[in-house]
Amino acid sequence: MHLMYFQKLVPVLIRSCEILYQMFGTTRYLNNPQRSIHRKMTPMKKAKAYIGDEGATFVNSFTVTPLCCPSRSSILTGRYPHNHEVRNNSLNGNCSSLQWQKGPEAEAFPTYLNKLKYQTFFSGKYLNQYGSKAAGSVGHIPPGWDQWHALVGNSQYYNYTLSANGKEEKHGDSYEDDYLTDLILNRSLHFLDDRSPQHPFFLMLSPPACHSPWTAAPQYQKEFKDVQAPRDGSFNKPGKDKHWLLRQPPNPMPNSSITFLDNAYRKRWQTLLSVDDMVEKLVKKLDSIKELNNTYIFYTSDNGYHTGQFSLPIDKRQLYEFDIRIPLMVRGPGIKAKQVLQAPVLNIDLAPTILDIAGVNLSSVNVDGQSFLAQMAPSLRNGTARPYFLVEYTGEGQPTSDPTCPKLGPGVSQCFPDCVCEDAYNNTYACVRTLDSKMNMQYCEFADSESYVEVYNLTSDPHQLENIVKKVDPSILQIMNQRLIKLQSCVSDSCRDYKQK
């Protein structure tokens, strides 16, 4: 999750794993990867009341790649993965690598805010490999940040290490002292107290919720005892006519898998209650220091998540709507309350939107995304919505067979004991997602020995149950293929050129 507060004078961002909540002082941004905001029953009721009801909710918000590190890299740079070159969560995949640090990280949006004298604050999970020895250890502080409190490695709630302004800080298992979501909140409140009133601020808060190991705060560990994963759409359906990875899970799922994913779903909701408290306390803090009306708040996430869709137990990484859709709510100056906006918005649009609000000339910034300020505050900007966009992912596998699933051989990863694997080297794909008044479709090509293609009409088949590649008009396939080829090689301005059909 990510939460950002951005103030025309002061920005703040809060981001958490699989939920992104960002806040800037005068600008605030919040994102949630689990899509729970779209459920009728959501643990984020305070976030909806304080952000969504007071501003705009984007119902067609997407990540351009459904995995933590490459998605977060896209948020920071405003670029597609083929341009920032972070492909997965490993150092070999450029996650927080020296190559990333020397290139895209040095051009990320916080560097522009810093040049404008914004006081910048980061706390929480940054990138999965951050803090490792090969990535510069805890002494590496990415450029642009004045206050830096970053988690070393992947999500934890207790027993973790932070880089506290470049110094190692170890934490234990005390709820009062160490629970990471609350620690992030408390340090952000101290930052707001200690900031200089002469300069604007930006906060980016990235709590671990609702990522595994799903450790809820003690007071919330008995909540949602009757909640289970939604049984609608593609839940427990076979992945017929799909890429081989979707055809291998047994269907129907065994009861053990359903029990496991229900428990995970419930625990994830429990962890989010602390994030909901964070939102409330930060909004009230901004109000008490007379900055709430000057601040944009964004709430969003780095990726979606599945729990039983197409009989896959739990994970992300897939091309389908449940993994690429993310929640996005924004409030701030010029944004009317209770707006529900249909225009497609991407996570690569966050950086240019933030910089647009801060007054940066976007023609001078190397980004693939576009500002969506005009969508939520048309009185402040003119602009048009994009008709289509790219989703790309590079699959990960292991060079040897997984011991829990030897029959599938080498090249797979993220395998469960009942031999369901969630990823593979050849789970590498690129999709063009078209979403406008004329067409609501997805066209995907896999980089595998089959050259597999999947096509979905999301108007008639919103759950993507039927691959219509053999039924659709060949002229439409040709248009989609041409769009995809163009997007896969686009850079900066060319990623926003929609003149082609």
Side-chain angles (χ1 to χ4, degrees):
M1 186 206 87
H2 295 271
L3 173 61
M4 293 187 279
Y5 291 93
F6 178 82
Q7 187 182 44
K8 289 181 179 177
L9 298 177
V10 182
V12 181
L13 164 66
I14 304 176
R15 175 182 64 185
S16 83
C17 203
E18 295 176 354
I19 293 192
L20 175 63
Y21 184 1
Q22 293 169 308
M23 305 165 56
F24 318 165
T26 305
T27 300
R28 302 189 181 186
Y29 171 77
L30 180 73
N31 77 352
N32 182 330
Q34 298 306 342
R35 292 184 58 203
S36 54
I37 191 173
H38 298 301
R39 298 292 182 189
K40 290 181 180 179
M41 180 180 179
T42 169
M44 304 299 294
K45 293 178 180 177
K46 296 174 183 177
K48 181 180 181 299
Y50 283 111
I51 303 173
D53 291 350
E54 296 295 328
T57 298
F58 291 83
V59 294
N60 288 309
S61 177
F62 297 85
T63 179
V64 298
T65 186
L67 186 64
C68 316
C69 197
S71 178
R72 288 161 181 261
S73 302
S74 286
I75 290 168
L76 290 163
T77 63
R79 300 176 191 174
Y80 283 116
H82 68 264
N83 287 327
H84 61 59
E85 298 186 315
V86 177
R87 294 295 187 176
N88 54 46
N89 288 343
S90 69
L91 274 172
N92 289 337
N94 272 334
C95 180
S96 203
S97 67
L98 296 181
Q99 179 182 334
W100 154 262
Q101 293 172 21
K102 293 175 181 177
E105 186 178 65
E107 300 174 338
F109 76 81
T111 63
Y112 291 88
L113 297 177
N114 190 257
K115 291 174 184 177
L116 293 174
K117 305 300 182 184
Y118 272 88
Q119 300 164 92
T120 55
F121 174 94
F122 179 89
S123 187
K125 177 181 173 180
Y126 182 58
L127 301 174
N128 297 53
Q129 296 297 327
Y130 173 77
S132 64
K133 186 175 180 180
S137 299
V138 298
H140 172 66
I141 301 176
W145 297 104
D146 297 317
Q147 288 291 318
W148 180 252
H149 304 269
L151 178 67
V152 173
N154 205 353
S155 298
Q156 294 291 334
Y157 299 79
Y158 295 109
N159 299 307
Y160 54 84
T161 299
L162 292 181
S163 170
N165 294 317
K167 295 182 179 180
E168 184 179 77
E169 182 180 286
K170 290 188 175 293
H171 286 264
D173 57 5
S174 164
Y175 172 69
E176 291 76 13
D177 299 329
D178 303 312
Y179 191 67
L180 184 54
T181 303
D182 291 357
L183 182 143
I184 292 168
L185 167 65
N186 293 334
R187 295 198 177 179
S188 68
L189 297 177
H190 285 307
F191 172 80
L192 291 173
D193 284 333
D194 297 340
R195 81 198 191 287
S196 168
Q198 275 72 47
H199 297 287
F201 62 81
F202 174 83
L203 285 77
M204 184 169 184
L205 310 185
S206 184
C210 47
H211 199 284
S212 62
W214 314 310
T215 309
Q219 66 270 29
Y220 294 134
Q221 290 179 1
K222 295 183 180 180
E223 298 295 322
F224 308 121
K225 61 181 181 179
D226 297 324
V227 167
Q228 62 182 20
R231 269 32 177 189
D232 54 352
S234 56
F235 180 85
N236 206 8
K237 296 287 176 63
K240 61 181 181 179
D241 299 326
K242 289 175 169 53
H243 181 236
W244 79 271
L245 195 64
L246 272 291
R247 300 196 299 266
Q248 48 95 22
N251 180 266
M253 287 186 290
N255 290 336
S256 59
S257 292
I258 294 177
T259 299
F260 172 75
L261 67 87
D262 277 341
N263 188 50
Y265 190 88
R266 187 178 308 114
K267 287 184 175 181
R268 288 163 65 83
W269 274 30
Q270 291 170 354
T271 67
L272 288 174
L273 292 174
S274 294
V275 178
D276 212 30
D277 292 341
M278 173 189 287
V279 174
E280 179 184 42
K281 291 176 182 178
L282 280 163
V283 169
K284 289 184 175 179
K285 180 66 173 181
L286 289 167
D287 190 34
S288 72
I289 61 175
K290 304 295 190 291
E291 295 289 5
L292 182 58
N293 293 333
N294 300 322
T295 303
Y296 290 88
I297 306 177
F298 298 71
Y299 174 86
T300 186
S301 171
D302 46 4
N303 52 258
Y305 203 75
H306 57 259
T307 48
Q309 283 70 36
F310 294 123
S311 302
L312 294 171
I314 58 166
D315 200 33
K316 47 261 186 177
R317 307 170 201 265
Q318 308 304 329
L319 59 87
Y320 308 101
E321 297 283 282
F322 45 74
D323 280 2
I324 65 173
R325 281 186 176 268
I326 55 177
L328 174 60
M329 300 183 294
V330 188
R331 69 173 283 177
I335 303 175
K336 293 182 179 180
K338 298 186 183 300
Q339 293 186 80
V340 178
L341 302 179
Q342 302 289 333
V345 172
L346 311 180
N347 62 343
I348 58 172
D349 298 336
L350 294 170
T353 302
I354 291 166
L355 296 179
D356 189 12
I357 292 170
V360 175
N361 181 353
L362 294 182
S363 65
S364 66
V365 183
N366 179 11
V367 293
D368 303 332
Q370 62 191 51
S371 171
F372 56 85
L373 182 58
Q375 307 299 327
M376 57 187 178
S379 63
L380 302 180
R381 291 286 188 279
N382 294 320
T384 57
R386 61 167 56 80
Y388 55 86
F389 55 90
L390 175 69
V391 176
E392 53 187 347
Y393 177 69
T394 302
E396 291 184 81
Q398 300 297 329
T400 57
S401 297
D402 190 295
T404 65
C405 196
K407 70 179 183 180
L408 291 181
V412 296
S413 65
Q414 311 299 316
C415 297
F416 287 86
D418 55 354
C419 198
V420 176
C421 297
E422 297 268 3
D423 207 4
Y425 284 132
N426 62 2
N427 186 37
T428 296
Y429 56 81
C431 306
V432 59
R433 179 72 169 88
T434 300
L435 183 57
D436 60 18
S437 60
K438 299 178 182 178
M439 187 179 293
N440 184 11
M441 295 190 70
Q442 185 179 32
Y443 171 92
C444 302
E445 296 181 359
F446 282 85
D448 63 4
S449 60
E450 297 179 291
S451 297
Y452 208 81
V453 177
E454 295 187 26
V455 183
Y456 299 97
N457 182 337
L458 277 298
T459 300
S460 60
D461 180 22
H463 300 294
Q464 297 167 290
L465 299 175
E466 182 184 10
N467 179 6
I468 59 171
V469 63
K470 296 179 181 179
K471 298 181 179 180
V472 71
D473 187 329
S475 65
I476 294 179
L477 293 180
Q478 183 178 12
I479 290 173
M480 293 290 199
N481 174 260
Q482 290 173 349
R483 288 178 176 177
L484 185 58
I485 292 172
K486 178 183 175 184
L487 284 171
Q488 283 185 281
S489 60
C490 76
V491 179
S492 193
D493 291 350
S494 64
C495 298
R496 304 184 295 275
D497 180 5
Y498 305 110
K499 294 177 184 177
Q500 181 184 356
K501 276 186 174 183

